[in-house]
Amino acid sequence: MVPVLNLVGVPSTVQQISKPLLHHTLGDGRFDAYNLAAQQFTYSQAFLRNKEHAPDEIDRVLTDCITKARPVYLALPTDLVSAKISSRRLRIPLNRNPPAEDPRLQSSVLDLVVKHFQEAEGDAVVLVDACAIRYDVKDELNKFIKKTGFPVFSTPMGKTAIDENLERYGGVYFGSISRPEIKEKVESAKLVLSVGPLKTDLNTANFSYNIPVERTIEYAVFPGVGMKNFIPKLTERLKSFHAAASMLSVPKFFNFVPHEKTEIITHDFFWPRVGEFFRPKDIIVTET
């Protein structure tokens, strides 16, 4: 799930009551059908019915969208589009802070994670996935890598979360079809800190991860402990590992273009060759 505002125009408040036969409805008078459908895949919903409550309702769903990193649904009747409302709420910034957490719970989770790093004697790697982006912890993660020195890898859907110019960035781990040196480094580490995992078929090369569960910490299994506040605290606890972690090798990427012996353009040749055209800050749009 991602933070998306689905702003939907709906029939006027009067028509919601009189239920005339309108286009873009189901023709059965159920004008709330789409709102009910949206409840299946959105975190929160607001169906505006009057201008007095509109500002509060709008801010409520926007706050949920931002802090929960989930889709929300906002229905705006046609007769409220031009309605004038108080500007008071515009002077109150939206609360972007994550929900308050139990400090004792956070402390116990910190102790648990640090204990695993100590038992691994610093032989650990970080695997960054899609939910690290969705929960807006890119800055926190990059600071974590710089201060701790652990090798870091991304999944296909976790790309862009980590600055790929960092010396400790080792490339993309993609299960069984990873580059051999990356596969070896990730799967042989004594400990893998997986941040924001999203283990879909497309993101794991058809579920082909070969990382033992007993050597993995998945930062998605600690209810009530959000990443935004947790990662900076973990950084402070683990920065003492920097000297040892910096000694761990990181695979280096070389864009090798093979010399084909035939005139047939193969994938092995095509993609490395295309890669030679790209420059910093180029935008590349891809699809599954």
Side-chain angles (χ1 to χ4, degrees):
M1 307 296 274
V2 293
V4 174
L5 170 64
N6 185 16
L7 179 58
V8 182
V10 297
S12 70
T13 55
V14 174
Q15 292 171 328
Q16 297 288 332
I17 298 172
S18 62
K19 303 184 185 305
L21 190 61
L22 298 176
H23 67 290
H24 296 311
T25 69
L26 300 179
D28 58 2
R30 292 186 299 130
F31 284 12
D32 63 346
Y34 299 114
N35 185 28
L36 294 173
Q39 292 179 17
Q40 306 303 311
F41 51 84
T42 56
Y43 181 81
S44 62
Q45 309 81 34
F47 201 113
L48 304 184
R49 301 189 185 281
N50 58 68
K51 65 180 184 179
E52 287 74 25
H53 294 146
D56 290 339
E57 284 292 273
I58 292 171
D59 280 6
R60 176 179 64 81
V61 294
L62 287 178
T63 299
D64 284 344
C65 183
I66 294 170
T67 59
K68 302 295 184 182
R70 300 284 295 277
V72 296
Y73 179 93
L74 178 61
L76 177 61
T78 55
D79 56 331
L80 292 183
V81 171
S82 301
K84 291 185 177 181
I85 61 176
S86 171
S87 62
R88 179 184 62 86
R89 296 288 309 191
L90 296 177
R91 296 190 289 272
I92 305 174
L94 291 177
N95 180 16
R96 301 177 62 90
N97 298 321
E101 300 168 0
D102 183 345
R104 292 175 299 178
L105 176 60
Q106 187 183 74
S107 179
S108 64
V109 173
L110 270 171
D111 290 341
L112 176 63
V113 173
V114 171
K115 178 175 178 287
H116 282 292
F117 272 86
Q118 292 170 338
E119 292 175 347
E121 300 176 328
D123 182 6
V125 300
V126 180
L127 182 62
V128 180
D129 211 335
C131 289
I133 300 172
R134 296 179 182 182
Y135 282 93
D136 190 28
V137 291
K138 294 168 64 173
D139 289 343
E140 289 80 2
L141 275 173
N142 279 278
K143 290 177 181 176
F144 174 85
I145 297 303
K146 291 176 183 177
K147 289 188 175 182
T148 63
F150 290 110
V152 59
F153 302 84
S154 70
T155 66
M157 294 180 70
K159 275 186 68 65
T160 75
I162 292 295
D163 180 358
E164 298 184 9
N165 291 313
L166 293 178
E167 290 185 1
R168 308 308 290 160
Y169 179 73
V172 177
Y173 176 71
F174 197 20
S176 62
I177 59 176
S178 305
R179 285 170 45 210
E181 62 272 28
I182 293 177
K183 189 174 186 295
E184 167 66 21
K185 186 65 181 178
V186 173
E187 296 178 358
S188 66
K190 289 183 180 179
L191 182 66
V192 176
L193 176 62
S194 179
V195 183
L198 188 63
K199 292 184 175 180
T200 67
D201 53 348
L202 291 177
N203 201 33
T204 62
N206 199 26
F207 309 111
S208 64
Y209 275 21
N210 189 28
I211 306 173
V213 175
E214 62 271 16
R215 290 197 277 113
T216 305
I217 298 175
E218 288 192 352
Y219 200 97
V221 295
F222 301 119
V225 181
M227 287 188 280
K228 196 75 172 175
N229 291 328
F230 183 82
I231 293 175
K233 290 182 171 60
L234 184 63
T235 300
E236 292 304 307
R237 293 283 298 273
L238 295 180
K239 65 182 182 181
S240 60
F241 283 91
H242 188 277
S246 297
M247 299 299 292
L248 298 172
S249 62
V250 175
K252 300 300 180 184
F253 175 73
F254 298 98
N255 190 36
F256 175 72
V257 181
H259 295 285
E260 301 286 5
K261 296 181 179 180
T262 70
E263 294 184 354
I264 298 175
I265 299 176
T266 65
H267 283 284
D268 288 340
F269 167 82
F270 180 78
W271 296 110
R273 183 69 181 94
V274 170
E276 292 186 329
F277 293 104
F278 296 133
R279 295 294 180 265
K281 297 185 179 181
D282 282 354
I283 297 175
I284 304 168
V285 179
T286 63
E287 192 31 288
T288 52

